[in-house]
Amino acid sequence: MNKLSIGYLYKDELNLYGDNGNIEVLAARCLRRDIECEIVLINKGKLSAYDRLSGVNLLFMGGGPDSSQKSIYRDFLEEKEPFVRDYVASGKTGLFVCGSYQLMGDYYRSADGTELKGLGIFKAHTVHFGKNKPRCIGNVRARLNNQISSDSVFKSTDFLGEEVLGFENHGGRTYLDAGVKPFAHVTYGHGNNSEDATEGIVEGNCIGTYFHGPVLAKNPHLADYLIAKALDVNELPKLNDALTTASYTASKKLR
């Protein structure tokens, strides 16, 4: 089986609510299957020939407070943009959480009307309404969209069902362009904007989401799906996940 090579963007700056746990889950579930897993740290500055994403088959970028997002913003737009754009367009696998999900969209409009340009890879935009609307915060549950749930790879790796769980805390509200598929449909919580019951976005084999938790710790079936997609295999060896299943079942009851 091929090696899983994870490109980890801005590890030190974007690690809100333990988002680095997603990397730990991916690595641990590979280790338990004797799948080689390499983590390529991609920091600010010019990319070397080694880390220009050509050898990466799973790209991850977490969330962070406004100060951290500002610190990587220029580098992300100017240095990393062409590589990330080519990566997504090539059909490779990726996961972008909260702040990075927003930066992958068209723009972020703050409460004072200032607009922060995004990469425009995800066809969505985010607006912060300030005190006019409360933050979207709390536990959240959602059902995967049918593009993922009907995927034969998901069907072969799924052992928990089509529901995904997480924790959200965001002031910005994201709106998808017409015809764009969400990652999931909210059954409890706020999701993208607390208005249309959408959560996150799917672009090719890349997912944007507001789910912290970390999302892959709460949803190991999603972790396995991403691993299989990244390795371009139809199934993975089964694991003894009794404890994981019990944790997932308990989390479904959280309010």
Side-chain angles (χ1 to χ4, degrees):
M1 190 171 288
N2 294 331
K3 175 175 70 176
L4 182 69
S5 182
I6 305 172
Y8 188 177
L9 280 158
Y10 310 118
K11 172 182 179 291
D12 293 333
E13 294 87 356
L14 302 181
N15 181 26
L16 197 62
Y17 307 122
D19 281 340
N20 65 331
N22 291 303
I23 301 297
E24 295 174 3
V25 168
L26 291 167
R29 295 187 73 78
C30 283
L31 178 64
R32 292 172 65 191
R33 295 183 167 101
D34 293 322
I35 299 171
E36 184 180 357
C37 181
E38 173 190 37
I39 299 170
V40 180
L41 299 181
I42 305 172
N43 301 310
K44 290 188 288 186
K46 292 189 176 297
L47 297 178
S48 67
Y50 175 73
D51 61 13
R52 284 194 173 188
L53 307 188
S54 59
V56 168
N57 50 14
L58 202 162
L59 188 63
F60 174 74
M61 186 170 168
D66 289 348
S67 58
S68 294
Q69 290 188 58
K70 288 178 181 177
S71 74
I72 60 90
Y73 174 72
R74 190 55 56 192
D75 182 81
F76 188 51
L77 256 69
E78 295 179 356
E79 178 60 35
K80 306 303 191 294
E81 185 269 346
F83 302 103
V84 175
R85 186 175 299 281
D86 288 348
Y87 181 93
V88 176
S90 70
K92 289 187 175 181
T93 305
L95 177 64
F96 300 83
V97 178
C98 199
S100 61
Y101 164 33
Q102 295 173 347
L103 290 177
M104 288 285 284
D106 291 326
Y107 63 85
Y108 178 97
R109 182 181 300 151
S110 63
D112 64 6
T114 303
E115 283 193 6
L116 199 65
K117 179 185 176 183
L119 264 60
I121 296 174
F122 290 166
K123 298 307 176 184
H125 65 276
T126 302
V127 179
H128 195 305
F129 294 95
K131 296 181 180 179
N132 294 323
K133 291 189 178 181
R135 291 184 69 82
C136 298
I137 182 170
N139 293 309
V140 58
R141 296 192 298 273
R143 189 166 295 278
L144 292 168
N145 86 31
N146 58 12
Q147 178 177 325
I148 296 176
S149 63
S150 64
D151 188 328
S152 60
V153 176
F154 178 78
K155 288 182 176 180
S156 70
T157 55
D158 171 42
F159 61 98
L160 291 174
E162 299 175 9
E163 198 165 33
V164 283
L165 315 172
F167 172 81
E168 59 184 343
N169 185 355
H170 53 103
R173 295 174 182 237
T174 298
Y175 300 87
L176 308 183
D177 289 3
V180 174
K181 286 189 174 292
F183 162 56
H185 298 275
V186 174
T187 55
Y188 179 85
H190 298 279
N192 280 332
N193 50 53
S194 199
E195 298 170 28
D196 59 16
T198 64
E199 205 300 309
I201 195 171
V202 174
E203 175 63 36
N205 287 317
C206 289
I207 294 169
T209 180
Y210 276 116
F211 279 26
H212 294 286
V215 59
L216 299 184
K218 284 185 174 289
N219 303 283
H221 55 326
L222 180 62
D224 285 355
Y225 171 69
L226 292 175
I227 292 170
K229 294 294 282 188
L231 295 176
D232 194 23
V233 297
N234 291 323
E235 59 183 7
L236 295 172
K238 304 299 182 185
L239 298 177
N240 181 351
D241 272 312
L243 184 60
T244 299
T245 300
S247 174
Y248 173 86
T249 301
S251 293
K252 288 177 70 172
K253 300 176 182 178
L254 294 175
R255 295 286 180 179

